[in-house]
Amino acid sequence: MKTTIFATAAAVISAGLMSCSQGFSVQTVEEKETFLLAEGSDAALEMDLKIEYPVSGLKKQALDNLTGALTANIFGEEYAGMDITEAVGAYKNDKASDYRTACLPLAKENEGIPTASLDWSDYVTGAVAGCHKNILSYSITKYSFTGGAHGMTAETALNFDMKTGNLLTESDFFKEGYKDRLPGLLSSHLAESLENPSDTSMLFTQEIGPNGNFAIGEKGVTYIYNQYEIGPYVMGIIRVTVPWEELEGLY
């Protein structure tokens, strides 16, 4: 069964955009395409890419650094050096080639195999997620289905210094000692982060810590825990926000 857990993440991204809409402008490249496994086949790879990226409002070198890092992190290091639009086209063609390389032999060896079992999906969304002072957060959400019971969704946050366009790590943003204090703060907000707080009983652990995957926004710092990271697949992606006032002295 193919299940897409994609709309929720996209909605979160859109909601965070408004707080970062001043100071620079963005463009969005959006492409949807279906690649048939072979001529006349019902099996297909469905692709949907929607990538937002800054185009002005930052110094040229900072803008180049930022968009270069976006390209590499969204599509892969092999696409580094391409602009966003060029990378989108190359990524689609490469995924179509991978799909046919993997599935054409299966179709030929197993005549009569249900075409639905040879369907793939690849969805990618990238958008500004928030900002605070001179730091911009960007969220990448990927859904991939290549057969089996269900697909997988993963969300990755990137944080940039808007003056330089350079990527910031967790230790760049936080002050020394954050690893000692953040686990308690994150764990205290875990239950309220779930749609149903009683679902904490389903978690693999109720003591969580920083994992390097975080975004900043108006309310505070949000840590992102992907499927199977701290809970079963059915719980989806879990986002835990620590308010700014509780982070005093940590950044």
Side-chain angles (χ1 to χ4, degrees):
M1 179 180 66
K2 179 168 62 174
T3 304
T4 306
I5 306 175
F6 203 65
T8 301
V12 170
I13 292 170
S14 298
L17 176 60
M18 300 306 294
S19 63
C20 282
S21 60
Q22 297 180 351
F24 62 92
S25 59
V26 298
Q27 287 184 357
T28 301
V29 54
E30 184 172 7
E31 294 196 22
K32 297 181 180 181
E33 192 164 353
T34 299
F35 295 89
L36 296 179
L37 180 57
E39 187 176 351
S41 174
D42 290 330
L45 162 66
E46 179 184 305
M47 299 196 70
D48 189 344
L49 295 90
K50 185 176 182 180
I51 311 299
E52 178 186 79
Y53 58 101
V55 293
S56 65
L58 303 177
K59 291 182 179 180
K60 184 181 184 306
Q61 188 59 58
L63 190 61
D64 288 345
N65 290 343
L66 191 153
T67 54
L70 287 182
T71 301
N73 280 276
I74 294 170
F75 303 108
E77 288 292 340
E78 62 268 38
Y79 302 93
M82 298 182 185
D83 62 36
I84 296 287
T85 302
E86 183 184 8
V88 166
Y91 178 82
K92 287 196 309 176
N93 290 334
D94 289 345
K95 281 293 181 181
S97 177
D98 292 344
Y99 168 58
R100 289 167 179 149
T101 298
C103 291
L104 271 174
L106 292 175
K108 291 177 180 177
E109 292 169 8
N110 301 276
E111 287 190 25
I113 185 173
T115 55
S117 65
L118 297 173
D119 286 339
W120 281 19
S121 299
D122 194 87
Y123 307 148
V124 183
T125 293
V128 174
C131 59
H132 182 71
K133 297 182 179 179
N134 290 315
I135 300 174
L136 177 145
S137 285
Y138 189 93
S139 183
I140 303 165
T141 305
K142 296 184 177 183
Y143 169 80
S144 177
F145 176 77
T146 56
H150 54 70
M152 287 292 293
T153 303
E155 183 179 343
T156 303
L158 305 174
N159 298 288
F160 295 92
D161 183 328
M162 294 177 70
K163 292 181 178 179
T164 64
N166 293 334
L167 270 172
L168 299 174
T169 65
E170 199 174 62
S171 58
D172 292 328
F173 179 74
F174 289 106
K175 292 181 179 178
E176 188 174 350
Y178 76 93
K179 289 185 178 180
D180 296 324
R181 286 183 54 192
L182 268 183
L185 293 171
L186 286 164
S187 297
S188 70
H189 289 282
L190 178 55
E192 69 192 47
S193 301
L194 305 177
E195 186 174 347
N196 185 349
S198 66
D199 285 347
T200 52
S201 61
M202 298 171 60
L203 294 169
F204 302 150
T205 177
Q206 295 184 29
E207 301 295 325
I208 58 173
N211 63 355
N213 194 8
F214 69 99
I216 58 176
E218 254 182 72
K219 295 182 178 180
V221 174
T222 298
Y223 269 85
I224 302 156
Y225 301 90
N226 281 305
Q227 293 169 327
Y228 293 121
E229 192 169 347
I230 62 172
Y233 175 85
V234 70
M235 296 188 75
I237 296 170
I238 298 170
R239 302 172 187 84
V240 182
T241 299
V242 179
W244 287 118
E245 57 267 25
E246 296 182 24
L247 293 169
E248 191 69 37
L250 278 183
Y251 67 97

